[in-house]
Structure formats: structure tokens, C-alpha cells
Amino acid sequence: MNYAINLERVKQDIYTIGRYGYNAEDQGVYRQGFSDEDIKVRNWFQSYLRELGIKASMDGAGNVIGRYGDDDRKALILASHLDSVPAGGMFDGVLGVVAGLECIRVIQENNIPLKHALEVIATSEEEGRFGGMLGAQALTGNLKLDWLERAKDASGELLRDAMARCQLPYHLAMDAARDPDALIGFLELHIEQGPVLEQTGNTIGVVEGISGVFKWKIKLIGKADHAGTAPMNLRSDAFMGVADFAHEIARIIEEEGTDKSRLTIGSVELKPGFAHTVPGIAEFTLVGRDMSEDVMKALADACRRVLSAIARRHKLMFEYEQMSWLEPRYCSQDMMNLLQKHSENLGFKTLVMPSGAGHDAQFFTDMVPTGLLFVPSVGGVSHAPDEWTHWHDVEKGCNVLLQSVLELVAE
Amino acid sequence: MNYAINLERVKQDIYTIGRYGYNAEDQGVYRQGFSDEDIKVRNWFQSYLRELGIKASMDGAGNVIGRYGDDDRKALILASHLDSVPAGGMFDGVLGVVAGLECIRVIQENNIPLKHALEVIATSEEEGRFGGMLGAQALTGNLKLDWLERAKDASGELLRDAMARCQLPYHLAMDAARDPDALIGFLELHIEQGPVLEQTGNTIGVVEGISGVFKWKIKLIGKADHAGTAPMNLRSDAFMGVADFAHEIARIIEEEGTDKSRLTIGSVELKPGFAHTVPGIAEFTLVGRDMSEDVMKALADACRRVLSAIARRHKLMFEYEQMSWLEPRYCSQDMMNLLQKHSENLGFKTLVMPSGAGHDAQFFTDMVPTGLLFVPSVGGVSHAPDEWTHWHDVEKGCNVLLQSVLELVAE
């Protein structure tokens, strides 16, 4: 089938959506979930779908659903999100929504007969203003009513109040759950938000799954001392404990991890934190990831052992709290094969890779065959105004999606 | 000579002074230089000296000077400070002033004939509200008028305004400089403010000098990345640079330093400092000390080399700024021998040691033969309400001072 997407239309839509919440000062996009700008873009998107002759609706969770094809048919979902982080970029989420719509447009203008329906869904609150992936959780039946009642954003605003301002009674979010038997699969095109495709010279990433992730808060307690009067061997320097642990991270991954493992110390706070005082307390975060939960457990065990040994060596007390443990989610092997086949057929260099970041797709993996496709992020940059993906890569990603969709739904 | 100090009097004076600026809530002493409580204790100390028949005056820098002996004789100075850090302890500085006074009292009540005069000096602003050691710098002719005009405390208050509130016209601080030819020496008894005497089972520390000290502000600049999407080998993690450097500190001291070397990372700030973000920037302080300026230079060179190599290894930019470089100051060998001899004669375990903290004595080392004596700090604690020195150690320190003073000034 010699169909191809129209890059100019895709470009036009991405620029149109990018004007919602655009801030000329920092050139960032401010379209946080259930903000005025977010609800404006959702209303625009519904009208736009209708202008194109596509049935459009908003469900109780704020997801905008455009449906093409007979009501009684099973549907393939093409989805991503339209909300953004504060000062975000133009491609994150938006690309997947526009690509889904473009696939429908190609099918529509060529009158391609379908055996299944197609839905393009712009999910709501993916980025985490109230915890993230609200729309995807609603669609997959993962929401809890009591959580909806008490969820708050960083400023203390309740989710239910923010939803009410958008004419969405929060309890109706529960009604958004889809019947798995009415779906044949889920596909998402997203920017990589990392440097791997660019650095390895690949154009298309076929995602094998979303890494599992654990987050620890760790506290090492030693003794604050005068940096002049306390000899090196009589110190209980809490920072030296953090440093020695950080130094062992590479070895821990070599011994217990894989090339998909990540261990990151992103935040460190020293007390008292004065130049002339040996740090008495160090509090820091550790975030670990891998595609295998067994590997995650091995990494976590090794970190615990190493921290205990280092605490003894530096005469420190060691406390840690596990803030979260999310298991890995796997894309369907059939979907991966399909995406990889079409990418290679089109002549694109293709890499099977994990996703270290979370995506709407991860809530669908247990429900329907799910596939996730990446295109390169220039410099690996995302969640920033200078997030960019070259238009030729956008075009390639959309065409891989189109060919895969056609194989799945065309008669 | 079978004279000994009277511990009860010493105790009484230390408790009396400890009530000035005492805060019942945190049990700390708040007697910062030129505060109301500081000037109150200085006025009380002058009256007290006069009651005891000792000539008392305050010089232009706020030093209280009690002089015993003929006006035309050369003097031995016994000094320390009466100001405190915020929430400080009862012994820091105060012990040396009270011990000096007690030596004079013993000589006075026993009518011991002297060949030299004795001065007990309570120096002003040692602790650093306006930079520190103001009184000692004034007495040794190290003050500069333009500095006096512009020095400020952390709240922005000018030194000259604070001095004016104490009826001290700031330019008169210049007049406090003493003629070196009118002095035979300087002795100071101080608490150690560190753990060495206690940990090594010694009672008396004979200080060989004040360590030289350098302070650097170091900045490592990498690239902030998503902790999930950036593989370990594609990161420029600024914190890993700090950690690897900290890990090398022990080796740097083994190779380039001495048992008197100290290298301390007291403050670390990461940007952006989020758990899920690879740190793009790390700013930290490095404070180095040793008794030899050559060793200090070797340590500084090694730190620079190691930081450069680590920056290259982690793909980081490396900037540093030398905030200060103070050379070591040496006590007089004669004074050290004198103090050591009397300590050992009295049967006290004695350790020759450096001082990692600064003291008034350091400004006298180039002017007159200078000696500095330490007694143990329980748990090494100082600059805190639970600063303590056992009374039997206070007594021993005062008696070593007394015997040394008698040898220097008695006929």
C-alpha cells in the first residue's frame, strides 16, 4: 500500500497546538493538565475533529476522543497527550496525537476500507500536575474514587476543583474506563526525550517497555565537626558516605545490572552545609530503573549492602525510606514486530530500546496489545523550550505508524 | 615554686561570665562582638578588675586590659576573648581570660615579686561577626582604616556603627597597636574545640602553630538530563564529579599531605536538584589545611589535577575560585618548650599539636614569642551550648599557665 502521511498538515497542526499556552518570554509552553490553556486546546481539538468529519467527544476524565469507523466495530487506539509541563516543548505528547489524527486523515481521504474502527485520543493530565497519566488510568480502569477526591497539585489545589472549573464532575472520570473486548490495540508515537537514538544513529525506536523504577530517600547521620579541629581519621563525615556510595554506582551496575539499568543521585542536602564544618547529616535521593524487576531487586539489594558497609566505614547511621516501587511494563511482542517490520521496510535505522520515562502506553500494556514508537530528540532535550525533533524524523515516525495502522485495520 | 590556682574562683568567674547573653531556651550563649551583652560583660570585667586592685582600661578596639605591675616594665600578655558565636558555649575564649586573671590573682595574693608586668586582655570580636580577631589585629597593628570603615556583619550592619553604639569611635581602634619592644611574650589558654586530646588520652596540648588554610569554591558543569532516558554512559553528571573527587581525598592526603592535613567538602549544591533529574551543575566548597605552606601548595596542586582529570572523565566543565589563602603561623619554640616542661613537671600527659581553628594568638606569632595551650573539649564539641571541659582539666590547664607565667615574670 503506497500511502504516506502529509508532513505539511502534521507541521501545521503541531504549530497550531503549540500556540496554546505559549509564553513569548521563555518560549516555553504552559499547558498543564486542567489549566485554562489545556482546556482551550481540548475544546479546539474537538471542533477541529468535527470539521474534519470525525466524531468527537470528551469523556469524564477530560480525554478527547475522535472516532472514525462504525460504532459496533472494535477499535485501535492511537493516543498521546496534549498537556505539557510548565515551560515545556512543542512535541512532547502533541506529536502522538497529531500523528494519530494524520493516520485517520490519510485513510479518510483515500477511502481505505477498514475492518476495525480507529480512535485518536488526546489523553488528559499525563505530565503529573496531579500525579500524572490521569486520562490513561481512566481509560484503563485504574482510577480510584477516593484518590480523585483528595488528589492535589503542588499549590494545594484539589483535582476535583480543577476538573469542576472545566465542567467535569470528577466522579465521571470513573465512567471513562473502556471495555477491553471493544479494543484491538493501542499505539503511541512519542519523542524519545533522551539521547540514545541520536547518539546511536538510529531514526526509529521500537520500545520494548517502560522501565520499572524505585525511589529511595536516604539519610546518613554522622557528626558535624569543625573542619580544622577534627582530624580526618576522627570524623564521621556524612558527605563522604554519599560520595563513596556514588563512586560504587558504576560497579553495582556492572555487577548486578544491565545496559538498561540506571541509578541516579539527583538531590543531595548537607547539614549544616557550611564550608568550615564537616557535614553531620546528608540526605539524598536514589532513583533506580531497569526493564527487569529481578534486576531492580538485585540493584536495590546491592545498594543496601554497599550503603550499610559504607555507613560502618565512616561511622554513620544509615536510614532509608522507599518512596515508590513501580514494576516494569512490557509492550506486546506482536506490536513490536509490526512496528519494527514497517520501520525497516521503509528503510529506517531501527533500535529496540526501553523507555526510561513513563508514557500513557504503560497503562494499556496489561489490557490490550500495546506498541510505543520513538523518534529522536535533538540533543536528548525534552521538558524544555528547546525540545526539538527534526521534521524529517517526524515524517518517518508518522509513516511507520501509518503503515502499522493500515496493516492492523485495513480490510 | 609551690603555687597553684584556685579552681573555685576560676569556676565562679566562668559561671558569672556565662550568664551574660545566656539564652534559657537553647542554653546557648549569645555574646557576639559589640552586641549589648558583649559590651555589658566588658564593662563588668573592667569593674571586676578594679575591685581586685588591678588597673583596668578599654582600648579603642574594645579590648579590656587589666595590668598588674609597674608602668615602665615590659609586659607578658595573657589573653583570649569574651565574645561568643550565636548559641555558643561557656568556655570558648572565656577560659583564657579567666585563667590569665587567676594567674595575676595568685601572684598578687602571694606578693610574688616580678621582674615584668602582667596583662590580662579580653580581646574583642574574635569570633567573626565582622570578620573576626578584631582586638588581636588591633593590638598587633594589623588593622586597616579603610577596612574599619566598610566592614559589615551578616545583617549588613556596619562595624563602625556597632562600635559607635558602644561609645567606641572606630578610628581609635588604630591606636590600640602595642609597641613590640614593650612586650616579652603572649600566652593563651584555650579549649581544644576538637577531639584529639580526648581521643589520644592527653590532658594538655602544646600548640605548635595555627594551620594555614585555603578555601575554594568549585563549580562542575555537566548537563541536566532525565534520569530515566539518559543512559549511564551518555551522561555528564555533575554530582558524579564531586563524588569521585571526594573519594580521592584520602589518597591525595596520603600522597601529598601529613597527619596534620585536612581537606573538607562542607557544602554541596546541586542544580536542578530533583530526584528524577541527572544533576547538571554542582557547586561545592573545599577547605584545606596544613601546618606547612609547602604541603598546602602540594595539596592544592593535587586537588586541581584530580579535579581536571575527573571533569574530563565525566565530560564536565570545571571552574574554581580561591576565596582565601592564609599561611600557617608558628608558635615560638621557646614558649612551646616552657609550656611542655611545666605540663610534664606537673605530671600531665602532654601532646604537641597543631591548631586547626584560628585563635587570637596567631596575630602575635610574628610580633612576640607566642605560646598557646589547649585543654580537652568533651566529645570535641564547641560553638554549641553543650561545649564542655571537665573542671579538673580546667584546673590543670590553668596551673600549667601559672607555672609558665611564674618562670617568665617572677624575679
Side-chain angles (χ1 to χ4, degrees), chain A residues 193 195-196 223 227-232 235 240 243-244 246-247 262-267 273-277 279 285 287 289 356 379, chain B residues 193 195-196 223 228-232 235 240 243-244 246-247 262-267 273-277 279 285 287 289 356 379:
Chain A
Q193 307 184 273
V196 174
K223 186 168 162 289
T229 62
M232 302 306 285
R235 297 181 175 189
M240 291 306 292
D244 276 5
H247 188 76
R262 317 265 185 270
L263 287 172
T264 305
I265 295 174
S267 145
F274 302 144
H276 286 275
T277 308
T285 56
V287 171
R289 279 186 174 78
Chain B
Q193 306 183 274
V196 176
K223 185 166 163 292
T229 62
M232 302 307 284
R235 296 181 175 190
M240 291 306 292
D244 276 6
H247 188 78
R262 318 265 185 270
L263 286 173
T264 305
I265 295 174
S267 145
F274 302 144
H276 286 275
T277 308
T285 56
V287 171
R289 279 187 175 78

Side-chain angles (χ1 to χ4, degrees), chain A residues 120-372:
Chain A
V120 53
I121 304 188
T123 62
S124 63
E125 214 297 85
E126 193 269 354
E127 288 291 6
R129 178 179 168 198
F130 295 100
M133 303 198 200
L134 179 78
Q137 292 187 72
L139 291 162
T140 54
N142 281 291
L143 282 184
K144 302 234 159 40
L145 202 53
D146 65 328
W147 180 87
L148 286 168
E149 276 159 7
R150 54 189 169 72
K152 283 179 193 167
D153 71 5
S155 77
E157 185 174 359
L158 283 166
L159 168 63
R160 59 185 193 201
D161 293 340
M163 290 183 76
R165 284 198 295 97
C166 305
Q167 275 75 53
L168 292 167
Y170 72 94
H171 63 273
L172 292 187
M174 303 300 291
D175 291 356
R178 300 295 295 265
D179 178 1
D181 292 334
L183 301 173
I184 66 151
F186 177 97
L187 287 177
E188 181 172 8
L189 172 63
H190 206 281
I191 55 169
E192 182 198 340
Q193 307 184 273
V196 174
L197 290 174
E198 185 180 79
Q199 292 279 336
T200 57
N202 283 286
T203 300
I204 299 292
V206 172
V207 177
E208 57 188 314
I210 314 285
S211 300
V213 54
F214 64 90
K215 178 177 166 184
W216 288 1
K217 244 171 113 167
I218 303 165
K219 193 172 182 175
L220 293 174
I221 304 163
K223 186 168 162 289
D225 264 318
H226 188 296
T229 62
M232 302 306 285
N233 63 333
L234 294 179
R235 297 181 175 189
S236 306
D237 184 331
F239 179 64
M240 291 306 292
V242 187
D244 276 5
F245 173 66
H247 188 76
E248 297 298 315
I249 282 180
R251 182 185 62 75
I252 292 171
I253 291 180
E254 277 166 21
E255 289 178 8
E256 311 287 347
T258 68
D259 60 340
K260 295 162 193 167
S261 301
R262 317 265 185 270
L263 287 172
T264 305
I265 295 174
S267 145
V268 176
E269 210 182 316
L270 303 185
K271 289 177 188 164
F274 302 144
H276 286 275
T277 308
V278 176
I281 296 177
E283 288 184 288
F284 63 106
T285 56
L286 176 70
V287 171
R289 279 186 174 78
D290 198 82
M291 275 307 299
S292 148
E293 194 162 20
D294 286 342
V295 172
M296 287 171 65
K297 283 178 189 161
L299 290 170
D301 284 347
C303 288
R304 231 181 333 254
R305 280 196 308 274
V306 170
L307 279 164
S308 297
I310 285 172
R312 275 195 303 277
R313 189 188 315 154
H314 290 283
K315 290 163 281 179
L316 307 170
M317 304 232 307
F318 154 50
E319 295 171 1
Y320 83 104
E321 193 184 344
Q322 184 156 292
M323 310 300 286
S324 59
W325 181 282
L326 301 174
E327 56 197 35
R329 310 306 290 257
Y330 302 97
C331 291
S332 110
Q333 192 60 54
D334 288 347
M335 287 296 200
M336 286 172 63
N337 294 345
L338 178 78
L339 296 168
Q340 187 170 6
K341 180 182 74 179
H342 287 294
S343 178
E344 286 170 358
N345 283 350
L346 290 166
F348 307 148
K349 285 198 174 173
T350 308
L351 182 73
V352 175
M353 63 186 293
S355 172
H359 291 292
D360 287 317
Q362 73 196 60
F363 279 98
F364 290 86
T365 53
D366 286 351
M367 185 185 187
V368 289
T370 294
L372 175 59

